[in-house]
Amino acid sequence: MKAIFIFSGQGAQSVGMGRDLAGVSAAAQRIFAEADRILDRKLSDLIFNGPIEELTRSTNCQTAIYTMSCAALAAFREKFDLQPVACAGLSLGEYGALYAAGAFDFGTGLKLLDRRGALMDEACEKFPGTMASVLGGDPAVIESVCREIDLDVANYNCPGQLVLSGPREKIELAAAQLKEKEGVRKVVPLTVAGGFHSRLMREAGEKLRPALAAAGITMPQVPVYHNYTAKVSGTAEEIRDALAEQVSGSVRWEECLRHAISDLGVDTAIEFGPGNVLTGLVKRIDPAIVRINVNSAETLSQIVLN
């Protein structure tokens, strides 16, 4: 088995996520307790009990998903001695990927995401925006419309799914134009706090650089594919730069997976964290890849590794 460990992004959160894992895994329980201690607030209580409005705020959501994802990884590692050949994560999930690959400890990733979430919340208030998912259509045509309207492509998720990001009025204009384009099946407005992975977040990314510069980041033990470049970094400084740039840069998820498959022969994707969005994208990218989710005590108990 050549597995890539993949980590959930923002939007997958739900109240109660990970509570059952903490109930069956001492290692998972320790992760939640450590998050509370490091942040000096009851993040675990918010994760387990809500309210959803508070959990969804970037300043809480990013640390919450990271903590739950790392707890799922800890529970998995209690049962299985499987080393991945690579790691990757969607947006904030890249921090979970770097943690899993040994680039930094749990606390370093948590503190960075605490800062990242606060900066992105600040940017959402200062530079209002939104996002929309485009299903179907020619990527080149979609990119052309974005250039004309001055919008950004936030995500290249999988064949037939791109996400646009920017000011609301420009998103609405793009949606109206794209609905007339051949092959576009649907344009779906997303319920998000702002225009993530667009130039509206550029200031947040730049303000994150001092925290990244001060963080103890080393080269990972296995390759980590970055959202911004869809490639592997050669130095710790390149990792820092990729993390800063991805705040406002496009998430090249499909490229990340295709490179991992072609470079390393990945045949299995194991997703850690709430939901199953990423394994769904993997299925669209390459249906031959075996897909496993670790998002609950039930899914953990059902895993059989060959």
Side-chain angles (χ1 to χ4, degrees), residues 24-298:
V24 300
S25 166
Q29 191 175 47
R30 284 193 295 272
I31 290 288
F32 286 111
E34 189 176 355
D36 290 350
R37 180 186 62 78
I38 291 169
L39 295 177
D40 195 25
R41 67 177 191 265
K42 278 288 186 180
L43 181 67
S44 62
D45 183 62
L46 178 61
I47 294 171
F48 296 158
N49 301 306
I52 187 62
E53 294 78 15
E54 277 299 301
L55 181 61
T56 300
R57 290 176 58 209
S58 289
T59 190
N60 292 320
C61 181
Q62 296 193 25
T63 51
I65 290 177
Y66 171 78
T67 297
M68 188 276 179
S69 300
C70 292
L73 174 66
F76 177 85
R77 283 177 165 168
E78 264 188 334
K79 290 188 65 174
F80 303 103
D81 183 23
L82 175 68
Q83 296 304 313
V85 296
C87 296
L90 187 78
S91 192
L92 78 91
E94 193 167 309
Y95 289 76
L98 286 162
Y99 164 68
F104 47 63
D105 61 21
F106 172 73
T108 296
L110 187 71
K111 290 173 185 176
L112 285 171
L113 282 173
D114 192 41
R115 178 67 175 149
R116 183 181 187 267
L119 288 170
M120 288 173 69
D121 269 349
E122 182 183 291
C124 287
E125 292 186 14
K126 191 172 180 179
F127 309 106
T130 190
M131 304 173 79
S133 180
V134 184
L135 305 180
D138 182 343
V141 171
I142 297 168
E143 289 169 343
S144 175
V145 169
C146 284
R147 283 193 297 273
E148 290 171 11
I149 298 175
D150 203 26
L151 275 177
D152 296 309
V153 178
N155 296 63
Y156 294 83
N157 282 336
C158 65
Q161 186 186 116
L162 273 65
V163 178
L164 312 186
S165 184
R168 184 174 298 276
E169 64 275 11
K170 291 186 178 182
I171 290 288
E172 291 172 352
L173 180 59
Q177 291 190 19
L178 286 169
K179 286 174 183 176
E180 305 300 318
K181 300 296 183 182
E182 184 179 354
V184 174
R185 300 193 308 278
K186 192 182 294 186
V187 181
V188 183
L190 302 182
T191 305
V192 292
F196 302 127
H197 296 288
S198 77
R199 70 197 75 175
L200 300 180
M201 294 290 126
R202 189 167 292 150
E203 184 176 295
E206 290 306 307
K207 286 184 175 180
L208 184 61
R209 287 186 185 276
L212 289 166
I217 299 175
T218 60
M219 284 300 293
Q221 295 159 12
V222 299
V224 175
Y225 287 87
H226 296 292
N227 289 193
Y228 181 66
T229 62
K231 297 177 182 177
V232 174
S233 288
T235 66
E237 198 51 45
E238 286 181 7
I239 294 173
R240 291 184 173 92
D241 191 59
L243 291 174
E245 293 289 352
Q246 64 117 279
V247 176
S248 60
S250 301
V251 173
R252 301 184 177 277
W253 184 251
E254 181 179 351
E255 284 183 72
C256 286
L257 263 293
R258 292 201 185 280
H259 284 159
I261 293 165
S262 63
D263 295 347
L264 302 168
V266 163
D267 56 22
T268 303
I270 305 179
E271 180 179 357
F272 298 92
N276 55 8
V277 169
L278 298 190
T279 46
L281 297 180
V282 170
K283 183 179 180 180
R284 295 283 301 277
I285 294 166
D286 189 339
I289 300 295
V290 174
R291 301 173 301 281
I292 297 170
N293 286 90
V294 185
N295 55 29
S296 65
E298 181 181 6

